[in-house]
């Protein structure tokens, strides 16, 4: 029983981190029809920049703020100079974002070196609570709380703010939104920056959780995020958090019982969803 | 002539296709100008060109004397042009209220006044205020689309085939409300239904093969059957 | 043409083992990149899983040679087997996935290639995972020169074979699909059909190059299935020139040479270890500004010049007239 709960909590924490990464991807895809293959690069950059600042200042909060800041900045650069020039051409977009992914992850190794960096959580998030026989590691609980808070925030923004309303309208019909006098390019930029910031935050949070960060972490987690986006349905935030939880928990249990197959199972789910339900497992209607 | 909008020798390409080859017309303020012509003649593209959705390659589109070539659609909309596309462009998953809110740039007195006026014209919208736009009937969608295009300080409304796919009785209703809207704003109407067009139009332009080939006051077309036969293929 | 002959003669004049190996490597990747061009350049399919077929070819040859007496016959058989596997797998994968939209397809191929990588890593009894294994090659290939010539000949054959393929009626249909899928569809072509054919051809040839790659190293490990292999093909094709066939060959040469040269410089400064960054940037600029790569851009320049000359000559005629 304890094992079951522990694995579930572990899976939930991983799921929340993947959700943060996937949330940006799915929103960007829904609104702009851009599948950002560089998203993992933004994630890795958030991780490295955040950890660097964290180790430098010894303040975890500073690390988080730094990660978000670098995410916003890189998001701006990516949208303005990488994606906008080829807007509307799917093949070029796919190719260019993948190219930018290479540049981002190589640049990372140039700046911080190719070796992995060890990271531990701050003192106040180290250790665990014991409830009966169940051990809850504080940092995991922290990640779950942050993930849920972020989901709540995104949900609120989409449902109850003007910009959220415009984003939802834009997902349905971009041309009409423009015809109503809204500069959709600016909305694209905002959404992209927000998505990049979330990816960077996820990268920062994952560092103490995984214990080490390394240069190729971007692609590794990006693949998980792609899987989540597909399972959850592109452009669907609630679908994303459900799918991320599913992928996280499957990953956690598989890693314990049959570690060989953990990634394979997730990929298989994605392949099956793509083939039989390309609109996503959690989409209500076409 | 006191024209609100004018097109001069406009040419538009979609991909490599030369859709508009030479379109020129003037839209007098406060009147309804109807664009007539066969299917595929370029009427919808004309509206999209004005809106900046298919920008013109050559020629000149001027609104209130200012040339608008190359402006992005949102800029054009903000100068006071509202667009009601052929498929109405309703945000189906958004409620009627939210559909209106997307359009409202600000909540000034003027905009609120317009809102009130248009909702009085289309009381159905008030009834289904919290209902998703996708669940409205065809006629109601048309009304919502028109209301949405009108609510900002719109001086010119572009309406693309409002009668398409609607039951005759609903068509009548929609046409009646367009007639009402004439008091408030200038209108360009694309319409296949000649009977309807002739009832509310003041001027007409005929577009054929991407060119404006004939124009005049609506009365002319109403009275001259041979003209109708020649350009529209109808009696 | 001259370059081709020069390449045949070159090893006899200039005897340098490392150069020979480098050029062999170029030929192998040129074959691989050309196969990628069939997808990207001639059909407009973006696949992020092309390494899948490269890896199948590599492992087919390696495993066969590991367990049996290395003879030429066996090598030929093993290569054919790899190609056959790839044909079947690309057919099945194509059938399942090619009806999806471009970004879905890119992702799914990425995922499938990932699956193959994971499978290769886990099936250690056969593959020895990431550690890999070495194997013996037939006597004939012990001489690097022989292998060089074989690869060169195969590259030339693949080049002319694919050239014929794309100039055939079938190839023209593929181009039509790339240009405008809907139009091709409405002209009555079974788009899916042709896309599958393209992916089968590309898969088979990729497998051939993978086999040669393993033979050249006399060693194989799971890296043949990694994203890096697909990235190589992408970089070579894009930088060399998408849809030109000769472009990927040129791209392969540029990237392999630069790789060789820049890694050599790594002793001077470690930053050269990160040579990929340079290519990443060139690649992005190419996608943005020179979507036809080096070859395409040069061709465009030349044809422009010719046109200008045409104009000036016609002007002359007018003047004279």
């Amino acid at each position: 029983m304890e094992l079951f709960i522990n694995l579930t909590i572990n899976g939930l924490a991983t799921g929340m981190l993947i959700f943060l990464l996937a949330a940006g991807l799915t929103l960007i895809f829904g609104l702009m029809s851009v599948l950002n293959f560089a998203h993992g690069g933004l994630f890795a950059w958030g991780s490295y920049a955040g950890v660097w600042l964290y180790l430098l200042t010894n303040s975890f909060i500073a690390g988080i703020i730094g990660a978000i800041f670098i995410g916003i900045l890189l998001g701006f650069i990516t949208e303005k100079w990488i994606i906008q020039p080829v807007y509307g051409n799917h093949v070029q977009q796919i190719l260019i974002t993948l190219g930018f992914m290479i540049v981002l992850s190589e640049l990372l190794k140039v700046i911080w070196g190719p070796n992995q960096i060890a990271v531990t959580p701050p003192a106040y998030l180290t250790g665990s609570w014991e409830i009966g026989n169940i051990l809850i590691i504080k940092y995991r609980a922290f990640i779950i709380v942050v993930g849920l808070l972020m989901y709540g925030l995104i949900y609120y923004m989409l449902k109850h703010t003007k910009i959220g309303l415009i984003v939802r309208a834009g997902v349905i019909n971009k041309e009409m939104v423009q015809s109503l006098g809204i500069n959709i390019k600016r909305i694209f930029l905002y959404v992209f920056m927000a998505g990049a910031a979330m990816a960077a935050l996820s990268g920062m949070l994952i560092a103490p959780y995984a214990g080490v960060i390394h240069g190729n972490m971007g692609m590794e987690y990006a693949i998980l995020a792609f899987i989540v986006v597909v399972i959850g349905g592109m452009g669907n935030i609630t679908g994303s958090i459900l799918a991320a939880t599913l992928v996280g928990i499957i990953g956690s249990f598989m890693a314990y019982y049959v570690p060989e197959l953990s990634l394979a199972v997730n990929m298989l789910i994605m392949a099956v969803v793509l083939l039989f339900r390309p609109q996503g497992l959690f989409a209500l209607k076409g | 002539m006191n024209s609100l909008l004018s097109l001069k020798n406009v040419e538009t390409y979609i991909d490599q296709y030369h859709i508009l080859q030479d379109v020129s017309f003037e839209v007098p303020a406060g009147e309804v100008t109807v664009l007539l012509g066969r299917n595929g003649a370029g009427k919808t593209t004309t509206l999209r060109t004005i809106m900046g959705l298919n920008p013109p390659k050559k020629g000149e589109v001027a609104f209130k004397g200012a040339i608008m070539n190359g402006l992005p659609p949102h800029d054009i909309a903000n100068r006071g042009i509202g667009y009601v596309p052929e498929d109405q462009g309703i945000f189906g998953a958004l409620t009627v209220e939210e559909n209106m809110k997307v359009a409202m740039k600000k909540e000034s007195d003027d905009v609120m006044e317009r809102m009130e006026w248009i909702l009085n014209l289309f009381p159905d919208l008030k009834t289904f205020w919290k209902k998703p736009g996708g669940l409205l009937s065809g006629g109601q969608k048309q009304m919502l689309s028109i209301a949405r295009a009108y609510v900002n300080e719109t001086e010119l409304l572009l309406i693309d085939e409002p009668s398409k796919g609607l039951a005759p009785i609903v068509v009548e209703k929609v046409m009646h409300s367009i007639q009402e809207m004439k008091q408030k704003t200038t209108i360009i109407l694309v319409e296949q239904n000649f009977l309807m067009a002739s009832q509310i139009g003041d001027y007409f332009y005929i577009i054929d093969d991407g060119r404006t080939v004939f124009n005049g006051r609506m009365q002319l077309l109403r009275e001259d059957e041979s003209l109708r036969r020649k350009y529209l293929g109808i009696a | 043409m001259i370059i081709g002959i020069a390449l045949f003669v070159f090893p006899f004049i200039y005897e340098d083992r490392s150069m020979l190996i480098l050029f062999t490597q170029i030929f192998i990747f040129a074959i691989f990149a050309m196969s990628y061009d069939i997808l990207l350049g001639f059909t407009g399919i973006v696949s992020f899983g092309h390494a899948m077929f490269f890896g199948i070819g590599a492992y087919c040859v390696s495993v066969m040679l590991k367990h049996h007496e290395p003879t030429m016959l066996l090598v030929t058989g093993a290569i054919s087997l790899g190609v056959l596997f790839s044909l079947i797998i690309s057919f099945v994968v194509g059938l399942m996935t090619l009806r999806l939209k471009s970004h879905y397809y890119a992702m799914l191929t990425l995922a499938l290639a990932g699956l193959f990588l994971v499978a290769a890593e886990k099936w250690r009894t056969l593959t020895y995972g990431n550690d890999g294994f070495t194997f013996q090659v037939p006597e004939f290939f012990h001489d690097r020169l022989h292998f060089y010539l074989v690869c060169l000949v195969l590259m030339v054959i693949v080049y002319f074979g694919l050239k014929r393929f794309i100039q055939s009626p079938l190839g023209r249909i593929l181009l039509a699909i790339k240009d405008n899928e809907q139009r091709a569809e409405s002209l009555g072509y079974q788009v899916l059909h042709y896309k599958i054919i393209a992916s089968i051809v590309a898969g088979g040839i990729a497998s051939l190059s993978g086999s040669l790659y393993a033979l050249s190293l006399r060693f194989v490990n799971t890296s043949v299935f990694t994203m890096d292999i697909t990235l190589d093909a992408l970089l070579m094709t894009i930088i060399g020139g998408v849809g030109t066939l000769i472009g990927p060959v040129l791209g392969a040469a540029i990237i392999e040479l630069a790789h060789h040269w820049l890694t050599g410089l790594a002793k001077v400064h470690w930053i050269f270890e990160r040579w990929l960054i340079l290519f990443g940037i060139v690649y992005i600029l190419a996608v943005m500004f020179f979507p036809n790569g080096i070859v395409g851009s040069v061709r465009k320049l030349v044809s422009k010049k010719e046109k200008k000359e045409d104009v000036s000559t016609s002007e002359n005629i007018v003047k004279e007239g």
Side-chain angles (χ1 to χ4, degrees):
Chain A
M1 191 58 201
E2 301 101 75
L3 180 69
F4 178 81
I5 291 177
N6 274 328
L7 287 178
T8 307
I9 289 177
N10 206 350
L12 273 177
T14 317
M16 286 306 147
L17 290 170
I18 303 170
F19 163 69
L20 285 180
L21 191 54
L25 263 182
T26 203
L27 273 183
I28 291 164
F29 184 85
L31 184 65
M32 305 163 66
S33 322
V34 170
L35 190 56
N36 180 20
F37 280 93
H39 213 65
L42 303 171
F43 163 86
W45 265 83
S47 195
Y48 268 80
V51 164
W52 177 74
L53 211 62
Y54 171 36
L55 296 178
L56 195 75
T57 60
N58 226 353
S59 158
F60 188 63
I61 304 287
I64 288 183
I65 293 171
I68 292 177
F69 177 76
I70 200 84
I72 291 174
L73 187 72
L74 281 176
F76 178 83
I77 292 172
T78 315
E79 209 280 337
K80 261 279 190 303
W81 291 323
I82 299 293
I83 292 182
Q84 243 182 49
V86 292
Y87 188 73
N89 184 327
H90 285 307
V91 171
Q92 267 182 311
Q93 268 170 3
I94 295 171
L95 293 175
I96 208 161
T97 55
L98 190 75
F100 196 57
M101 173 77 198
I102 302 175
V103 173
L104 280 179
S105 44
E106 288 299 307
L107 205 58
L108 201 70
K109 293 175 198 162
V110 169
I111 296 177
W112 283 288
N115 301 325
Q116 48 184 30
I117 299 171
V119 193
T120 50
Y124 49 89
L125 289 174
T126 315
S128 50
W129 295 294
E130 221 169 313
I131 303 168
N133 280 330
I134 299 157
L135 213 64
I136 298 176
I137 294 169
K138 280 187 192 167
Y139 193 73
R140 286 183 193 164
F142 166 72
I143 287 177
I144 295 173
V145 170
V146 172
L148 289 174
L149 279 177
M150 286 306 291
Y151 170 72
L153 182 68
I154 300 169
Y155 190 84
Y156 176 82
M157 292 277 287
L158 282 176
K159 279 278 182 223
H160 298 289
T161 65
K162 177 85 196 241
I163 186 157
L165 184 63
I166 292 171
V167 169
R168 280 190 293 145
V171 169
I172 301 169
N173 188 339
K174 284 178 265 288
E175 218 166 57
M176 200 59 227
V177 170
Q178 293 179 68
S179 303
L180 292 173
I182 293 152
N183 185 353
I184 196 122
K185 282 197 175 155
R186 193 178 300 160
I187 306 291
F188 285 175
L189 185 62
Y190 294 157
V191 167
F192 201 97
M193 282 159 68
M198 279 189 285
L201 172 65
S202 170
M204 175 61 205
L205 293 179
I206 215 163
Y209 177 71
V212 286
I213 55 175
H214 55 91
N216 294 326
M217 64 194 291
M219 208 45 176
E220 204 174 292
Y221 284 94
I223 289 180
L224 286 177
F226 284 138
I227 294 175
V228 163
V229 168
V230 169
I231 298 177
M234 299 226 190
N236 182 346
I237 281 288
T238 305
S240 277
I241 195 165
L242 293 174
T245 311
L246 183 73
V247 166
I249 288 178
I250 287 178
S252 148
F253 276 85
M254 293 296 285
Y256 187 80
Y257 292 107
V258 255
E260 297 86 28
L261 296 179
S262 114
L263 186 63
V265 167
N266 279 327
M267 284 192 171
L268 221 58
I269 297 177
M270 166 167 115
V272 170
V273 169
L274 265 182
L275 291 175
F276 299 106
R277 230 184 124 76
Q279 72 273 35
L281 216 49
F282 302 106
L284 295 173
K285 264 185 227 155
Chain B
M1 188 159 55
N2 173 26
S3 70
L4 186 64
L5 178 91
S6 75
L7 273 72
K8 267 189 210 131
N9 309 106
V10 166
E11 293 183 41
T12 302
Y13 287 76
I14 298 179
D15 296 328
Q16 70 269 44
Y17 305 108
H18 198 177
I19 307 286
L20 299 189
Q21 307 193 348
D22 184 8
V23 170
S24 306
F25 60 81
E26 306 271 331
V27 177
E31 314 258 14
V32 175
T33 304
V34 183
L35 302 182
L36 297 164
R38 278 182 265 266
N39 263 336
K43 303 180 302 284
T44 295
T45 308
T46 304
L47 295 192
R48 290 177 58 87
T49 297
I50 297 169
M51 217 48 224
L53 295 167
N54 293 127
K57 199 156 198 175
K58 281 185 194 153
E60 204 177 281
V61 182
F63 182 61
K64 291 194 280 189
I67 292 173
M68 300 198 298
N69 289 29
L71 288 183
H74 69 266
D75 234 342
I76 292 173
N78 288 337
R79 286 173 183 227
I81 302 183
Y83 179 45
V84 180
E86 209 173 343
D87 64 359
Q88 295 119 29
I90 299 301
F91 307 118
L94 272 53
T95 62
V96 170
E97 180 187 17
E98 287 173 328
N99 265 281
M100 291 303 287
K101 271 198 172 154
V102 174
M104 285 160 69
K105 284 251 121 177
K106 47 188 180 215
E107 299 195 6
S108 64
D109 289 352
D110 182 54
V111 170
M112 295 322 270
E113 206 176 290
R114 283 169 157 263
M115 177 89 126
E116 214 181 299
W117 185 83
I118 196 82
L119 288 181
N120 280 332
L121 188 62
F122 301 128
D124 278 13
L125 296 183
K126 257 192 289 192
T127 316
F128 298 116
W129 196 235
K130 296 280 180 191
K131 199 170 160 182
L135 298 181
L136 298 179
S137 72
Q140 288 161 345
K141 278 183 184 161
Q142 198 68 55
M143 293 169 192
L144 176 56
S145 190
I146 292 173
R148 207 175 53 177
Y150 169 79
V151 73
N152 279 317
E153 287 132 348
T154 301
E155 290 170 62
L156 173 66
L157 260 185
L158 315 178
I159 309 180
D160 199 349
E161 283 211 55
S163 71
K164 196 180 181 186
L166 299 183
I169 182 144
V170 185
V171 172
E172 208 139 326
K173 211 167 150 191
V174 170
M175 287 300 163
H176 173 76
S177 36
I178 292 176
Q179 217 143 19
E180 288 283 317
M181 298 198 65
K182 234 172 101 171
Q183 314 159 5
K184 295 274 181 180
T185 171
T186 308
I187 293 171
I188 300 179
L189 187 66
V190 164
E191 190 50 75
Q192 295 272 11
N193 183 333
F194 179 72
L195 194 68
M196 285 300 152
S198 70
Q199 277 171 20
I200 53 177
D202 298 303
Y203 293 93
F204 72 89
Y205 281 84
I206 291 173
I207 298 181
D208 198 20
D209 267 347
R211 294 160 196 279
T212 33
V213 288
F214 194 71
N215 66 291
R217 294 198 74 90
M218 209 57 189
Q219 218 172 352
L220 186 70
L221 212 53
R222 266 201 297 266
E223 286 162 4
D224 193 335
E225 201 195 305
S226 65
L227 272 178
R228 293 207 296 273
R229 211 184 286 279
K230 183 175 173 201
Y231 289 109
L232 302 169
I234 45 173
Chain C
M1 204 61 200
I2 301 162
I3 298 171
I5 294 166
L7 281 173
F8 274 106
V9 182
F10 162 77
F12 297 100
I13 311 168
Y14 186 75
E15 229 171 290
D16 178 3
R17 223 175 94 88
S18 74
M19 266 298 156
L20 210 58
I21 293 175
L22 178 63
F23 271 88
T24 312
Q25 205 73 256
I26 291 175
F27 301 152
I28 293 170
F29 274 97
I31 295 175
F32 184 52
M34 278 192 281
S35 77
Y36 196 75
D37 200 20
I38 291 294
L39 291 179
L40 182 62
F42 292 97
T43 325
I45 302 172
V46 183
S47 161
F48 285 161
H50 211 47
M52 194 160 37
F53 305 113
F54 191 83
I56 290 172
Y59 269 101
C60 243
V61 166
S62 310
V63 170
M64 291 293 264
L65 287 181
K66 171 102 184 154
H67 295 285
H68 302 278
E69 194 62 29
T71 61
M72 282 310 281
L73 190 69
L74 185 72
V75 169
T76 324
I79 291 179
S80 314
L81 192 68
V83 171
L84 186 69
F85 270 147
S86 293
L87 294 183
I88 294 170
I89 290 172
S90 57
F91 175 73
V92 175
V93 170
L95 199 62
M96 291 193 312
T97 59
L98 275 170
R99 62 185 88 231
L100 297 169
K101 287 211 185 85
S102 55
H103 16 251
Y104 286 97
Y105 181 76
M107 264 168 66
L108 196 60
T109 48
L110 183 75
L112 281 172
L115 269 184
F116 270 85
L117 175 63
V118 172
E121 255 160 25
K122 300 305 173 195
W123 196 357
R124 294 190 69 91
T125 46
L126 189 74
T127 64
Y128 298 91
N130 195 29
D131 302 333
F133 59 89
T134 55
F135 54 87
Q136 290 293 316
V137 294
E139 197 82 25
F140 179 70
F141 284 159
H142 282 182
D143 187 344
R144 288 275 170 191
L145 180 61
H146 290 164
F147 191 62
Y148 171 95
L149 290 173
V150 168
C151 288
L152 177 57
V153 168
L154 281 173
M155 178 183 84
V156 172
I157 292 175
V158 166
Y159 174 74
F160 284 106
L162 287 180
K163 198 164 174 162
R164 279 205 71 142
F165 173 70
I166 54 175
Q167 282 169 349
S168 70
L170 200 103
R172 278 171 216 285
I173 296 168
L174 293 181
L175 270 178
I177 291 171
K178 186 201 175 192
D179 251 20
N180 190 334
E181 201 170 321
Q182 266 119 16
R183 199 176 49 201
E185 186 97 59
S186 62
L187 283 173
Y189 292 116
Q190 281 276 333
V191 168
L192 181 65
H193 240 87
Y194 292 99
K195 279 184 162 180
I196 290 176
I197 293 175
S199 81
I200 289 176
V201 170
I205 293 170
S207 171
L208 169 69
S209 62
S211 298
L212 294 174
Y213 180 73
L215 283 173
S216 79
L217 296 180
R218 300 167 192 181
F219 166 78
V220 72
N221 72 352
T222 48
S223 71
V224 289
F225 276 120
T226 55
M227 187 72 198
D228 294 1
I229 297 287
T230 305
L231 279 180
D232 277 340
L234 249 175
L235 290 176
M236 290 165 185
T237 312
I238 298 268
I239 292 174
V242 180
T244 60
L245 211 55
I246 193 73
V249 178
L250 187 68
I254 293 174
I255 286 181
E256 285 298 319
L257 283 172
H259 181 185
H260 177 79
W261 183 60
L262 290 173
T263 325
L265 279 180
K267 286 166 209 137
V268 183
H269 192 285
W270 62 271
I271 200 157
F272 291 108
E273 190 84 22
R274 305 257 73 87
W275 58 278
L276 202 54
I277 200 169
L278 182 74
F279 280 107
I281 293 168
V282 173
Y283 165 99
I284 289 175
L285 294 177
V287 172
M288 237 184 251
F289 302 110
F290 310 102
N292 304 315
I294 297 174
V295 172
S297 302
V298 170
R299 272 189 199 164
K300 216 175 185 175
L301 221 72
V302 170
S303 74
K304 238 188 207 163
K305 235 182 186 171
E306 272 171 11
K307 254 188 204 159
K308 251 188 197 161
E309 274 163 15
D310 279 357
V311 171
S312 56
T313 42
S314 62
E315 269 173 7
N316 285 341
I317 295 166
V318 170
K319 269 180 202 161
E320 281 164 19

